[in-house]
Amino acid sequence: MSAPPIPVEDLLGLAIRHVNAGQRDRARLLCAEAQTLHPPHPAVLQLLAVLALQDGDPALAARHAEASLALRPDHPPTLVLAGTAQQQCGLWPAALLNLTRATGLQPKHADAWFTLALARQDGADLNGAAQALRRVLALAPQRADAALNLGIVLQDLGLTDEALQAYGCAYRLLPGSFGRIAHALAAAPQGKLWLDLDALRSALAACPA
């Protein structure tokens, strides 16, 4: 008489431990074993999506995430995962749909709002991106990346004064972002080339919070 298969929860837990230890190949093998021994499991598919995204294969990640969502449609982390993968593949409508669902289910999830902002920004919805980034900063005021992206979006909208205020926030939170700010200011059509970088630093530091 053969031994019963290892429970899917045990295989999944072991796979997650291997991921946390940096052993992604071993984690994939355990996920494959779980898929062979058991019916499709949403958490196993979610983990495979995470692994594919870490490996730089967003198309595969999107497929795994979509399969997971078919079994567990309203799972916010998987919705964010699917939206992230789809955004990287340029699948804007699907990414926006999943990320909007995620923020609706978890309106205080700052990472979900940030990913939604990136998808809107890449999809040329600059006003929507600005709205999402402001939501990130309301939830997580320490997010220098959100402040920096907000500055870029506002600058692209032609709102130079508001963009400088957002850049000032990013600079105060993360002084190392100065180079990206200076480049953004010089690169965009609505930007401004600062020849005196010390003057730019002073201007950023003096921007109202």
Side-chain angles (χ1 to χ4, degrees), residues 78-161:
T78 309
L79 287 166
V80 174
L81 184 60
T84 300
Q86 290 159 342
Q87 183 239 348
Q88 291 184 17
C89 292
L91 302 172
W92 315 126
L96 290 169
L97 177 63
N98 284 318
L99 293 165
T100 300
R101 285 173 61 199
T103 54
L105 290 165
Q106 284 195 341
K108 294 185 178 181
H109 193 312
D111 286 339
W113 281 105
F114 185 74
T115 309
L116 175 59
L118 296 181
R120 287 176 172 173
Q121 188 175 357
D122 288 341
D125 178 9
L126 297 180
N127 285 303
Q131 181 184 37
L133 288 165
R134 287 191 171 103
R135 181 65 175 162
V136 176
L137 290 167
L139 294 168
Q142 76 283 2
R143 290 284 299 258
D145 54 349
L148 177 58
N149 273 49
L150 179 58
I152 292 170
V153 169
L154 293 172
Q155 186 176 333
D156 286 342
L157 285 168
L159 302 173
T160 307
D161 290 342

Side-chain angles (χ1 to χ4, degrees), residues 8-30:
V8 65
E9 292 81 9
D10 292 350
L11 290 168
L12 180 62
L14 185 57
I16 291 171
R17 287 197 291 274
H18 280 295
V19 171
N20 292 336
Q23 299 168 342
R24 296 203 301 271
D25 288 341
R26 180 58 183 156
R28 270 188 291 271
L29 289 174
L30 288 163

